[in-house]
Amino acid sequence: MTQPILKITGLKVAYGGIQAVKGIDLEIREGELVTLIGANGAGKTTTLKAITGTQAWAGAIDYCGASTGGKAPHQLLRRGLVMVPEGRGVFTRMTVTENLQMGAFARDDSAAIAEDMEKMFATFPRLKERARQLAGTLSGGEQQMLAMARAMMSRPKLLLLDEPSMGLSPLMVEKIFEVVRSVAAQKIPMLLVEQNARLALEAANRAYVMDSGLITLSGDAREMLNDPKVRAAYLGEA
């Protein structure tokens, strides 16, 4: 069994007097796609923010064998810890090409950056068509494609995805999950937080279920698809 690239032990996060995450354990191994599912307000996004250093936390988070404690988000990014945030977070007043270039700001291998840019345009032909267009004028689905392509431009060692299908049409959701599966095939470890539990479980190797700040279930993702409790709570099946 491979060593965890990310190991979380006893993670707690509080907002004022409210405990949003209540001491969870979670790990991701090399080459794994792990999904974290749960109802709104369960603490999933808060967990991602703690991992990326954008939210204060207590407990232990080890990434690539070293603690992330005291590390700023930009320092973790330079170590390959990359997040596609909920709501996409594209630079609306920059072009598609400029957004992709921003994804590679921590790199200095210009030839490889140009090569990766072409790969992103091959993966997302729609972005190539709109290369000179301002990101703020793109549709929601196109902005999500751009956010994912921008993240890939940094050559992540661990990719965190927060609700990539939120607010998208069914056709665009399928396109986004095609990309998720493609990234997984490259053995880039991923932690996927996703409201569409069925698609997330179908794509993932392992899964965690989060409820009210606690991990209530974990295991093989495909097995969870057949778990009666998961089916009833998250797949809309009795």
Side-chain angles (χ1 to χ4, degrees):
M1 188 173 290
T2 56
Q3 286 295 311
I5 187 168
L6 180 76
K7 186 175 179 64
I8 295 172
T9 310
L11 179 67
K12 295 180 180 179
V13 181
Y15 296 108
I18 299 171
Q19 197 77 30
V21 179
K22 303 172 183 176
I24 67 166
D25 298 343
L26 180 152
E27 68 176 43
I28 302 170
R29 294 187 286 270
E30 290 284 358
E32 263 195 327
L33 168 51
V34 174
T35 188
L36 179 61
I37 62 173
N40 287 338
K44 305 183 303 296
T45 294
T46 299
T47 298
L48 294 187
K49 288 180 177 179
I51 294 169
T52 54
T54 55
Q55 173 65 50
W57 52 272
I61 302 177
D62 289 307
Y63 166 65
C64 288
S67 173
T68 65
K71 299 289 191 300
H74 68 88
Q75 292 173 311
L76 295 173
L77 173 67
R78 288 181 184 276
R79 292 178 57 203
L81 181 55
V82 181
M83 180 169 162
V84 179
E86 181 182 353
R88 295 135 204 165
V90 298
F91 301 109
T92 56
R93 294 178 180 273
M94 292 184 178
T95 66
V96 166
T97 297
E98 288 167 341
N99 268 268
L100 293 178
Q101 289 169 338
M102 285 297 291
F105 85 95
R107 297 170 55 186
D108 56 11
D109 49 342
S110 54
I113 289 171
E115 192 177 297
D116 286 353
M117 184 90 70
E118 288 309 309
K119 283 182 185 175
M120 291 304 102
F121 283 146
T123 303
F124 301 101
R126 198 171 300 191
L127 295 184
K128 186 171 186 177
E129 293 169 9
R130 291 157 172 69
R132 297 182 180 178
Q133 197 168 315
L134 293 180
T137 66
L138 301 178
S139 70
E142 290 163 351
Q143 288 188 15
Q144 186 63 56
M145 289 179 185
L146 180 56
M148 291 183 71
R150 182 183 60 191
M152 292 300 293
M153 286 295 296
S154 67
R155 291 196 171 177
K157 292 179 182 175
L158 174 62
L159 183 60
L160 311 181
L161 299 173
D162 192 7
E163 302 284 10
S165 79
M166 183 177 282
L168 304 185
S169 69
L171 193 64
M172 196 59 73
V173 169
E174 183 50 45
K175 174 61 180 174
I176 293 301
F177 268 87
E178 278 179 25
V179 176
V180 169
R181 290 188 288 268
S182 172
V183 174
Q186 299 172 46
K187 297 299 181 184
I188 296 171
M190 279 186 284
L191 177 57
L192 168 66
V193 166
E194 175 54 50
Q195 60 179 353
N196 191 321
R198 180 178 297 282
L199 282 176
L201 290 171
E202 287 174 349
N205 303 112
R206 289 190 305 111
Y208 292 86
V209 177
M210 196 169 193
D211 184 29
S212 301
L214 294 167
I215 298 294
T216 57
L217 187 65
S218 65
D220 181 271
R222 294 304 175 105
E223 289 178 6
M224 280 197 198
L225 278 169
N226 298 314
D227 185 297
K229 291 180 182 177
V230 174
R231 292 171 76 95
Y234 304 106
L235 305 181
E237 299 177 9

